[in-house]
């Protein structure tokens, strides 16, 4: 949780907020089918519904009050993977910084599967 302090008080932002914003921004990019989650029981990759897409996002808080984000996604078959990943990184960095004011230090995009 990141806390912003001023003379008027403090505001805390939880990792769920960052996860939801990140998931929405990533799934709005071209070529992304959705967020992915690897099941511990069977080891298979599952496409997450809109309500549970934060499971495909991992947020790490850094000492310099920035965050690092790891995304697990499923993409459409035949898309240019470097272009899609670059688009996701740019979009997520912009949307998270714009909506929360927190700088994003690092974004890792893991493509777990491709589907038709």
């Amino acid at each position: 949780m990141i806390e912003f302090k001023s003379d008027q008080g403090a505001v805390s932002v939880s990792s769920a907020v960052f996860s939801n914003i990140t998931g929405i921004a990533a799934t709005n990019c071209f070529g992304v089918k959705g967020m992915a989650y690897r099941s511990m029981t069977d080891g298979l990759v599952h496409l997450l519904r809109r309500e549970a897409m934060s499971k495909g996002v991992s947020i790490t808080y850094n000492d310099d009050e920035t965050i690092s984000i790891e995304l697990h996604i499923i993409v459409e078959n035949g898309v240019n993977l470097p272009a899609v990943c670059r688009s996701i990184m740019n979009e997520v960095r912009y949307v998270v910084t714009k909506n929360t004011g927190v700088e994003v230090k690092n974004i890792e995009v893991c493509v777990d599967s491709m589907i038709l």
Side-chain angles (χ1 to χ4, degrees), residues 54-97:
S54 63
K55 286 184 180 179
V57 180
S58 175
I59 305 293
T60 305
Y61 298 104
N62 303 315
D63 292 334
D64 57 353
E65 295 187 3
T66 62
I67 60 171
S68 296
I69 301 172
E70 182 179 325
L71 296 159
H72 292 269
I73 61 168
I74 297 175
V75 297
E76 294 176 7
N77 190 24
V79 297
N80 184 343
L81 289 179
V84 170
C85 291
R86 201 170 19 258
S87 170
I88 291 169
M89 286 187 249
N90 291 334
E91 182 71 11
V92 166
R93 185 178 314 261
Y94 172 75
V95 171
V96 168
T97 303

Side-chain angles (χ1 to χ4, degrees), residues 14-79:
S14 74
S15 62
V17 171
F18 292 112
S19 295
N20 287 331
I21 292 171
T22 300
I24 292 168
T27 54
N28 285 336
C29 292
F30 173 78
V32 178
K33 282 289 194 181
M35 303 302 293
Y37 177 72
R38 186 173 302 274
S39 173
M40 292 297 186
T41 56
D42 57 10
L44 298 175
V45 175
H46 299 281
L47 180 65
L48 296 171
R49 292 181 305 227
R50 281 258 192 236
E51 306 86 48
M53 75 174 114
S54 63
K55 286 184 180 179
V57 180
S58 175
I59 305 293
T60 305
Y61 298 104
N62 303 315
D63 292 334
D64 57 353
E65 295 187 3
T66 62
I67 60 171
S68 296
I69 301 172
E70 182 179 325
L71 296 159
H72 292 269
I73 61 168
I74 297 175
V75 297
E76 294 176 7
N77 190 24
V79 297

